[in-house]
Amino acid sequence: KDPTSLESFSKELTGSQKQSISKLSSLAEIQQQQTPKVVPEPSWDDLRFVAFHTSIPFVGFGVMDNAILILAGDAIDYNLGVWLGITTMCAAAIGNIVSDVAGVLLGTAVEDFCANTLKLPVPSLTTAQRQLRSVRFANQIGCAIGLVVGCVIGMFPLLFLDVERTHALKKEVALDKLFQDVVKEAGSLVGAQRTQLYILCHKPKQETEK
């Protein structure tokens, strides 16, 4: 323990002895680093808290994603779907692209809202505990549950959308196209320069009172 005696001892060592001592100390440090540290497993309460803490932001993501998907898909189906003739599934796919882009752009706002406004407490886990399989699995379960709950809540625009409006407009456009094709083909068959189509509509017979 006396620094003077250690200094005098080091002076008495030869160069090869000093190299051997240096190698032994290096090997001891490597073995100490490679020795696996026992990380304590979190309790069930901690894992449930981790899942709950992770699920809250994904509820917001699910609400935003599904609501934007439905609103954008309906708007695209009503406008582009009718006039360009794209299918409802194609309109839904385009709406999904819009909702995904909105989710990426607004993701930081959702995270800031959960952290600053809601002020959710952070689970008291060490860095080593956060790398455990159980903690990562709890994170995944929380993400899945939050996303499902958010997507179910995000279906609320279906309560206000007029689905029959789009179908009626598509039928009207299809009938107009059919009538135009009929007039065009009839004119080409008879060699007429101008053709008109008259449609006779019968009113339904009223039932006589007994």
Side-chain angles (χ1 to χ4, degrees), residues 142-158:
C143 294
I145 294 175
L147 196 60
V148 170
V149 173
C151 287
V152 172
I153 298 174
M155 295 172 65
F156 72 90
L158 294 175

Side-chain angles (χ1 to χ4, degrees), residues 11-151:
K11 290 181 179 179
E12 293 177 358
L13 294 175
T14 61
S16 60
Q17 290 175 339
K18 290 181 180 180
Q19 290 180 357
S20 300
I21 293 174
S22 177
K23 289 181 181 180
L24 289 174
S25 61
S26 300
L27 289 175
E29 292 178 358
I30 293 173
Q31 289 178 355
Q32 186 177 3
Q33 293 176 357
Q34 291 179 350
T35 302
K37 296 181 180 180
V38 178
V39 181
E41 284 284 344
S43 63
W44 283 105
D45 292 335
D46 291 334
L47 294 177
R48 282 194 293 267
F49 184 64
V50 168
F52 174 76
H53 182 270
T54 310
S55 66
I56 298 302
F58 279 88
V59 172
F61 285 125
V63 172
M64 181 179 60
D65 186 73
N66 227 15
I68 294 177
L69 168 63
I70 293 172
L71 293 174
D74 179 71
I76 293 170
D77 190 28
Y78 181 74
N79 295 289
L80 298 180
V82 171
W83 305 113
L84 298 182
I86 64 176
T87 61
T88 303
M89 293 301 295
C90 183
I94 299 175
N96 188 35
I97 296 174
V98 175
S99 66
D100 289 343
V101 173
V104 172
L105 296 178
L106 299 177
T108 305
V110 174
E111 292 176 353
D112 291 342
F113 175 79
C114 294
N116 300 328
T117 304
L118 299 181
K119 296 181 179 179
L120 296 176
V122 180
S124 57
L125 298 176
T126 63
T127 304
Q129 284 179 323
R130 293 180 184 276
Q131 303 300 323
L132 293 175
R133 182 180 180 86
S134 57
V135 177
R136 289 186 282 114
F137 186 71
N139 277 320
Q140 293 175 349
I141 292 296
C143 294
I145 294 175
L147 196 60
V148 170
V149 173
C151 287

